[in-house]
Amino acid sequence: MAIYILRRLGYGLLVMLLVVTTISGIIFLAPVDPAQLTFGQRSDVSTVEAKTAELGLDQPLYMQLLHYLKDISPVSLEPDKADHLRKYRYHTLFRVGNEQLLVLKLPYLRESYQTGRPVSEILAEVIPATALLAFTALLLASLLGIFFGIVAALKAHSRWDQLISVISVFGYSLPSYVTAMLLALIFGYMLGAWTGLDIQGSLFVIDDFGDWQLRWQNLILPALALGLRPVALITQLTRSAMLDVLSQDYVRTATAKGIPARIVVVKHALRNALNPIVSAISGWFAALLTGAFFVENVFNFKGLGAATVTALLNFDIPVVLGCVLFTSVVFVVINLLADLLYAWLDPRVVMR
Amino acid sequence: MPKILDVKNLSVHFASPQGHTQAVDRVSFHLDQGETLGIVGESGSGKSVTALSIMRLLPSPPAGISSEAITLYPRDGGSKEIEISTLGESEMQRLRGAEIAMIFQEPMTSLNPVFRCGDQVTEAIRLHQKVDAEAARKQTLLLFEKVRLPDPERIFRSYPHQISGGQKQRVMIAMAMSCKPGILIADEPTTALDVTVQKAILDLMRELKEESGLSMLFISHDLGVISDICDRVLVMYQGKIVEEGPVQKILRNPEHPYTRGLVACRPSLKHKWHRMPTVSDFLDNSRHEAQVVSADETEQRRKSLYDSDPLLQVKDMLVRFPAEKNWLGRPVKWLNAVDRVSFDVFQGETFGLAGESGCGKTTLGKAIARLTDMDSGQIIYNGTALHDLSIEAFKPYRRDIQVVFQDPYSSLNPRMAIGRAIMEPMQVHKRFDSDKQRREKAVELLETVGLQADQFQRYPHEFSGGQRQRICIARALALEPRFLVCDEIVSALDVSVQATVLNLLADLQEKYGLTYLFISHDLSVIKQMCDRLLVMNKGKVEAVGYPEDIFRNPEREYVRELIAAIPGKE
């Protein structure tokens, strides 16, 4: 088990390495000069050249990549110079030779070309809001989807089943930004006075006194908008998995030993039907954490999606890399968790 | 003996868009206290549907159940009768498991794979007896001991996939007995099990019944099993009870033509038929007297068979699978599926390969057809060392050596018309120049195996199990093989259908001079079909020789047990 997890994390590292390499390769090919971008219109040749050297942009691509990898590695060998080590949050493990230190450090994601703020700070600002949004949306989607799926399976081929099918196909075909705009329009604007919801707004807002405030109500509409398609998908998956399981011999056995129908469905059948649902939910969760851009944009909700796209538009390479790196970490971790969950749900799954 | 269950005029039909099927047609019977009543019949005769409708386990719709009365009488001589057909669902739920319990055919799928075996039994106990978890656990362990499960504590903690098929059926029996029901309905409880396991389970059920005064309704397609365990038997055919009476009377003096056919079509251990009698022989009254193969005829056949050199020689075949792997994925422990087995097969011979599931017989068959790799050993076919050939050089031999598999339901592609399926191997091996010729050949083959030319465009789901197995045989014959590996090809079929397929194989052998490697777990079928047989156990050879020698005088204990376990020997 421990070996399995370690090996999976090893593969995960490989995935992240590939992601970083590919993304940097693509970005560095783009015909822009980041050093120039940093200064905008105030640039003159000498400052730009100095900045280029400082950022290491005059070095060959593979050197730039290696430097970046060294920056994000939690363990690395660094020269013992104060102005070099200043940017890291580190802990010295031991000294290597006279001038080198082996340090344990937080991955250093560099600073934004645009604002000069550390990328980790930018991420820390947007991730909680997006994570909360994705989590709420998916919790909602799972509960509703599994419920509707079970109802549809139990009443298969009835009016209820058909109604649920039609609604879920409709829900699935609706792009999330359309849903988002509709929800904003109806509940934020037209019924705004009654619902008390705003058309737009972030989870964390600065109020008139300059303090950060948590606005829970701003979570409702984006979560609904994001959750609608997963609800539709999970409903359909649950329906077909449950139909399959309900015709299994062991469900008949459970009924034959006198277990009430409700318990047969929830305990004996649902647990066997959960695997495809878990894989859908985990995939979607990872995607929502990172790709909620459209919905975030509609509601002007400051999250990871918005941050990534802004950075892309500005060629703010460190921020882009930071966002992408975080995304890949999320995917690796969630996939691992999902696999562990499979094994917990179904003892026949062997982890090798 | 007082009655415990009385069924009057039970009818079940299934409604579907295609129409209305009468599965059970006005069936009446009763079950006495302490009696074991058998229901025998082929698949589709309505025997399982009858049992399931007593328990009300049929989904309705599509099932429509009607009955004059299904009455459950009290066990202790009290006067409170229960009319099952008028019970509400929640009353029915209290009855299930507590008064009438049921065990099913497939122990592999009848236990919930995600719960521990022990928990599945305690669940029933806690539900019906309102005891706490610890008491239920103790009861379960006692029950496991009673059904003679080894190491009850371990089985309690095990998940169903971690124990064997026989053990699963014992868990099912423990579950069914857990609330001390008055009636146990057993729906083909041993059909999916090996003969020796079947015998042990039947012994156990008989014992439990005697101990607890249980009444049993025992459903099976196998008259042998029925005769081993039942007092009285109902014969069902096309939804009706056609005959009823004490088991011995039915076996000796069957009256209805269907019953007579059913009794006759079982392969006999006493003698070998020229042609197996079939049920349809009896039903249309066109019965020819079944002829026994005489000792002289056997002698003659052997002379002609064993005169020449062997067609296939297997020498020291070893096939092993990794049993345990280290963390790098490298195997550290091996399981020898076929452990240095040697034998010869002669041209025109039917060579039987017998043994229980997991003994390596299927692996051996696959290795000969090169569907699985051999670790060491030799396969010499018609003078050529097959084991030395590259995949490319082996290709012509694939035409010569064909395989027919066990499950006719999954070995045909459901989306391919059966005619196409028969043509496909000819296309792959470029037999004939045009599809027109191949089509003609396919039609000819369909007719050879007893199907019609106009069924060419039909799809597999439109055929019965026996017909599908015929299609698979036709497909194997499409390349004009000389050597056919028949891997349990009649195991999934009803006894009555089995006889017709066996007759077909015999006809084909005569017509084309085919050589068969006939793999089966059923010794009586092997004895009927084979010139010689080899008994395998755990990958090793236990016995090899002429059937009569092995049956009359088994040298090894294992072979003796195997023969003793054949059900329905008189």
Side-chain angles (χ1 to χ4, degrees), chain B residues 369-386:
Chain B
R370 216 155 159 176
L371 295 173
T372 190
D373 285 329
M374 223 173 25
D375 287 74
S376 70
Q378 296 176 302
I379 301 174
I380 297 160
Y381 176 81
N382 208 10
T384 317
L386 293 188

Side-chain angles (χ1 to χ4, degrees), chain B residues 240-269:
Chain B
K240 292 195 175 83
I241 294 179
V242 295
E243 198 162 352
E244 176 186 352
V247 171
Q248 290 311 321
K249 187 198 150 263
I250 298 272
L251 276 178
R252 300 239 166 79
N253 264 325
E255 276 166 18
H256 192 273
Y258 175 75
T259 322
R260 293 201 338 244
L262 206 59
V263 173
C265 73
R266 294 170 50 227
S268 161
L269 283 174

Side-chain angles (χ1 to χ4, degrees), chain B residues 228-420:
Chain B
D228 273 0
I229 193 163
C230 298
D231 307 313
R232 203 154 55 90
V233 64
L234 312 171
V235 183
M236 279 190 85
Y237 179 61
Q238 294 183 343
K240 292 195 175 83
I241 294 179
V242 295
E243 198 162 352
E244 176 186 352
V247 171
Q248 290 311 321
K249 187 198 150 263
I250 298 272
L251 276 178
R252 300 239 166 79
N253 264 325
E255 276 166 18
H256 192 273
Y258 175 75
T259 322
R260 293 201 338 244
L262 206 59
V263 173
C265 73
R266 294 170 50 227
S268 161
L269 283 174
K270 281 188 206 144
H271 31 242
K272 188 165 173 167
W273 307 107
H274 271 292
R275 280 187 67 80
M276 295 275 297
T278 63
V279 172
S280 50
D281 291 345
F282 288 86
L283 283 179
D284 51 20
N285 276 327
S286 66
R287 181 166 191 234
H288 328 281
E289 224 20 70
Q291 285 173 347
V292 176
V293 179
S294 70
D296 279 351
E297 286 168 311
T298 313
E299 196 57 40
Q300 230 169 9
R301 178 171 162 92
R302 281 183 189 160
K303 234 179 226 161
S304 65
L305 276 181
Y306 303 126
D307 206 19
S308 52
D309 287 336
L311 176 67
L312 177 86
Q313 289 174 284
V314 173
K315 288 180 187 165
D316 286 324
M317 180 191 278
L318 175 72
V319 183
R320 46 183 206 169
F321 297 118
E324 247 174 62
K325 288 180 179 174
N326 65 7
W327 63 280
L328 281 172
R330 211 168 281 148
V332 287
K333 237 186 180 175
W334 297 91
L335 178 83
N336 292 350
V338 180
D339 197 351
R340 296 175 188 88
V341 172
S342 308
F343 61 91
D344 296 340
V345 184
F346 292 81
Q347 168 72 44
E349 188 185 19
T350 303
F351 188 84
L353 200 55
E356 298 183 287
S357 51
C359 75
K361 53 190 196 302
T362 294
T363 312
L364 196 157
K366 279 185 171 172
I368 289 174
R370 216 155 159 176
L371 295 173
T372 190
D373 285 329
M374 223 173 25
D375 287 74
S376 70
Q378 296 176 302
I379 301 174
I380 297 160
Y381 176 81
N382 208 10
T384 317
L386 293 188
H387 53 276
D388 283 340
L389 298 180
S390 66
I391 288 292
E392 201 45 46
F394 179 72
K395 224 176 160 190
Y397 292 94
R398 275 214 196 287
R399 293 179 58 157
D400 252 31
I401 303 175
Q402 286 285 308
V403 191
V404 182
F405 296 99
Q406 171 169 10
D407 188 353
Y409 295 90
S410 57
S411 50
L412 286 168
N413 183 341
R415 292 176 209 280
M416 195 186 260
I418 59 148
R420 290 257 149 226

Side-chain angles (χ1 to χ4, degrees), chain A residues 20 23-24 27-28 32-35 37-38 51 54-57 64 68 71-72 107-123 304 307-308 310-312 314-327:
Chain A
V20 171
I23 298 294
S24 4
I27 293 175
F28 286 115
V32 286
D33 183 355
L37 281 176
T38 323
K51 192 71 186 171
E54 187 198 325
L55 295 174
L57 294 173
Q64 292 188 33
Y68 186 72
D71 275 355
I72 60 174
Y108 173 62
L109 295 171
R110 304 196 170 170
E111 288 162 355
S112 161
Y113 290 165
Q114 282 288 310
T115 57
R117 290 173 63 202
V119 174
S120 46
E121 209 178 291
I122 299 177
L123 286 179
L304 187 65
T308 312
T310 316
L312 266 173
N314 294 328
F315 282 98
D316 198 343
I317 297 166
V319 181
V320 173
L321 278 176
C323 291
V324 170
L325 201 61
F326 175 75
T327 310

Side-chain angles (χ1 to χ4, degrees), chain A residues 135-149:
Chain A
F135 183 76
T136 316
L138 220 61
L139 188 70
L140 200 76
S142 308
L143 293 178
L144 288 177
I146 291 175
F147 175 75
F148 285 134

Side-chain angles (χ1 to χ4, degrees), chain A residues 20-72:
Chain A
V20 171
T21 315
T22 317
I23 298 294
S24 4
I26 294 173
I27 293 175
F28 286 115
L29 285 177
V32 286
D33 183 355
Q36 177 106 37
L37 281 176
T38 323
F39 296 102
Q41 293 170 355
R42 303 175 278 109
S43 59
D44 59 74
V45 179
S46 61
T47 46
V48 168
E49 266 171 12
K51 192 71 186 171
T52 303
E54 187 198 325
L55 295 174
L57 294 173
D58 50 352
Q59 289 171 19
L61 184 55
Y62 72 91
M63 282 306 292
Q64 292 188 33
L65 185 63
L66 282 180
H67 279 300
Y68 186 72
L69 289 178
K70 202 175 84 167
D71 275 355
I72 60 174

